Amino acid sequence: MAAICAMNVVAAAGKTVGKVKTTGGKKFTDIKAAVKAGAVQGCAPFPEGVDFFGFYNGIDEKEAQRYADVEITHGRVCMLASLGFIVGEQVEGSSFLFDSQVTGPAIDHFQQVPATFWGLLGALIFTVETFRVQYAWQNPFEADKLFLLKDDYTPGDYQFDPLQLSKGKDADWLNNMKLKEINNGRVAMVAISGMVAQELVNGLNLIPADEVLEMGKAGALVAMEKQCTGAPDEAACAKAFEAAERTAVFFGN
């Protein structure tokens, strides 16, 4: 996580989009040198880049390429995770979703989902990762060292665009979308960390807990937890409690 927080690799507007050839052996003294060379780009309020942990000190260009791919990948995963957390809690208890057996905070859903689902998901992840490794990474038996990406591989670019959103678009548009993706991915990495931490602390669904807090009734969280813990449907209990809080606030109680 610390390594991800130190990354600043984004698509710079006006630069060429597509295959970017990297060379091994070229090194950067620090993050500022990498930004100046165009290998990475800082974003406001750090135009020269930010690297609190010194990961770019003396870094090889190939290593910088790998860091870029790592950040983009984690950002995409976290965007999906953040969306899944919120949507999963809103549809829990629905008959179409695992026969209404999944309830409560999203951090507890993992244990409630049938093993068959995780087996199928694991097979899908294995298939996707196999393609990703073959497409982007050098053969470890032929490369100079392990964990090297192909020279002509652009981090995050797997030529995957089933909806043809980028078809016919110019370089400026593509670079702008890359910048938006990486920045949203960074926000998502922070957001999912906060979501998990909040549910670990209060043990409640995200949205009801937030709405009660916004009413200025922090004590209601404790009361909700006591009333709903062990209930047959903790999610429904939490939502009912939240609705009661709304009514109490409306009538000034």
Side-chain angles (χ1 to χ4, degrees):
M1 186 64 184
I4 295 171
C5 292
M7 296 302 97
N8 300 273
V9 183
V10 297
K15 290 192 176 182
T16 303
V17 177
K19 300 298 181 182
V20 179
K21 191 173 182 62
T22 58
T23 58
K26 182 178 179 181
K27 292 184 178 294
F28 302 116
T29 55
D30 54 23
I31 185 68
K32 293 181 180 180
V35 171
K36 186 176 181 180
V40 296
Q41 179 186 342
C43 56
F46 305 103
E48 294 184 332
V50 56
D51 182 15
F52 297 122
F53 301 98
F55 290 103
Y56 269 91
N57 294 343
I59 192 173
D60 183 271
E61 186 177 14
K62 296 293 293 182
E63 189 75 359
Q65 180 196 31
R66 185 167 69 89
Y67 281 1
D69 195 62
V70 167
E71 182 182 29
I72 294 171
T73 301
H74 282 81
R76 289 169 176 172
V77 170
C78 289
M79 283 189 281
L80 289 174
S82 300
L83 181 63
F85 246 61
I86 296 174
V87 173
E89 289 187 350
Q90 297 310 301
V91 300
E92 65 183 24
S94 303
S95 58
F96 75 91
L97 190 67
F98 303 114
D99 196 26
S100 305
Q101 296 303 306
V102 180
T103 60
I107 57 172
D108 295 331
H109 288 185
F110 182 90
Q111 304 92 312
Q112 301 176 56
V113 175
T116 302
F117 171 83
W118 293 120
L120 294 174
L121 181 61
L124 175 62
I125 293 174
F126 177 82
T127 302
V128 172
E129 285 298 292
T130 299
F131 166 78
R132 193 170 78 92
V133 168
Q134 292 178 337
Y135 184 86
W137 295 79
Q138 294 186 32
N139 187 330
F141 299 104
E142 299 175 358
D144 296 334
K145 60 180 181 179
L146 298 176
F147 310 120
L148 289 180
L149 294 168
K150 294 179 179 178
D151 293 339
D152 60 348
Y153 167 69
T154 300
D157 185 5
Y158 296 99
Q159 300 296 310
F160 180 77
D161 185 15
L163 299 180
Q164 298 293 301
L165 298 177
S166 62
K167 185 177 182 180
K169 304 297 183 181
D170 59 20
D172 288 340
W173 184 91
L174 291 172
N175 281 317
N176 187 43
M177 291 299 104
K178 286 184 178 183
L179 180 60
K180 289 180 178 179
E181 179 187 31
I182 197 68
N183 284 335
N184 279 285
R186 289 166 177 166
V187 171
M189 284 188 274
V190 176
I192 192 62
S193 299
M195 292 178 186
V196 172
Q198 176 176 313
E199 293 198 350
L200 286 173
V201 170
N202 60 34
L204 302 171
N205 289 30
L206 289 170
I207 294 179
D210 288 345
E211 291 181 348
V212 171
L213 280 173
E214 287 173 6
M215 295 176 195
K217 293 179 174 290
L221 289 173
V222 178
M224 183 191 298
E225 184 175 12
K226 290 181 178 178
Q227 290 191 22
C228 296
T229 300
D233 190 339
E234 292 186 8
C237 176
K239 291 175 181 177
F241 190 98
E242 181 259 333
E245 284 294 317
R246 284 173 179 269
T247 303
V249 171
F250 180 77
F251 287 106
N253 296 330

